[in-house]
Amino acid sequence: MEEQMTDYILIEKIWQDIFCYQVKITCASSHVVATNDIYISDDSIDTLFNGLNDFIKGKTKEFFWENGKKGDDSNACITFEFIHKDRLGHILIEVYMELDDGGNYSSHNCCFYLNTEIGLLEKFCQKLPTLKRELLGIEVVLNDND
């Protein structure tokens, strides 16, 4: 039987234009699996990449990344807050996702924690710039099994 990941983030590029692209983001913990399509830009990927690099290197104790604005007056928002769980390299990520399932974002959203380790987070971070390539179907995964 194939081992299944419980805590992970999967980002897949599904559409692109000149100024932005659309990605499908799936975030999962042992309690929740949530998926949404969001629009993202190179600048937003750069912000996530640079902030994670600082976090991984210990320049910051926490890192908060937001794509979009929370609320009903914009496209779906997603946020990640990265927190050092302990001195052993365990990382806690608080995920907030507004869900585009027909309801208002203010009432159709979820917030949950998922776990990772500093080495896996660094591997994920280093793959983020591949999303900026002009190819569809690119996937970047946190906590993958390869």
Side-chain angles (χ1 to χ4, degrees), residues 11 13 21 23 45 127-133 138 140:
I11 305 173
K13 188 175 187 180
Y21 38 97
V23 295
I45 291 294
K127 290 181 181 178
L128 283 171
T130 63
L131 291 169
K132 297 176 3 178
R133 294 184 190 155
I138 293 171
V140 176

Side-chain angles (χ1 to χ4, degrees), residues 112-131:
F112 58 96
Y113 289 115
L114 59 94
N115 293 281
T116 191
E117 298 173 359
I118 197 77
L120 294 169
L121 186 60
E122 184 173 19
K123 184 177 163 185
F124 172 77
C125 181
Q126 296 308 313
K127 290 181 181 178
L128 283 171
T130 63
L131 291 169

Side-chain angles (χ1 to χ4, degrees), residues 11-145:
I11 305 173
E12 179 187 4
K13 188 175 187 180
I14 58 175
W15 177 85
Q16 76 178 42
D17 196 351
I18 295 171
F19 301 107
C20 70
Y21 38 97
Q22 187 176 26
V23 295
K24 177 183 291 282
I25 296 186
T26 301
C27 298
S29 73
S30 58
H31 302 289
V32 175
V33 177
T35 300
N36 209 4
D37 296 349
I38 64 167
Y39 295 97
I40 197 164
S41 67
D42 286 349
D43 288 344
S44 188
I45 291 294
D46 290 342
T47 299
L48 179 58
F49 176 81
N50 293 328
L52 278 179
N53 264 327
D54 287 348
F55 178 78
I56 291 164
K57 292 175 182 174
K59 294 180 181 179
T60 59
K61 292 185 180 190
E62 295 182 2
F63 171 59
F64 180 81
W65 177 78
E66 179 177 51
N67 189 78
K69 296 293 177 196
K70 290 182 180 180
D72 298 325
D73 297 328
S74 64
N75 293 325
C77 173
I78 185 167
T79 69
F80 297 139
E81 184 170 7
F82 299 87
I83 304 159
H84 289 280
K85 192 173 180 180
D86 58 31
R87 292 180 183 206
L88 300 174
H90 298 107
I91 306 298
L92 191 63
I93 304 168
E94 183 180 72
V95 175
Y96 170 84
M97 293 178 78
E98 293 178 337
L99 305 174
D100 193 9
D101 63 357
N104 293 332
Y105 293 143
S106 58
S107 59
H108 288 244
N109 57 64
C110 61
C111 187
F112 58 96
Y113 289 115
L114 59 94
N115 293 281
T116 191
E117 298 173 359
I118 197 77
L120 294 169
L121 186 60
E122 184 173 19
K123 184 177 163 185
F124 172 77
C125 181
Q126 296 308 313
K127 290 181 181 178
L128 283 171
T130 63
L131 291 169
K132 297 176 3 178
R133 294 184 190 155
E134 293 185 11
L135 297 170
L136 298 180
I138 293 171
E139 292 184 349
V140 176
V141 183
L142 173 66
N143 291 354
D144 62 354
N145 290 327

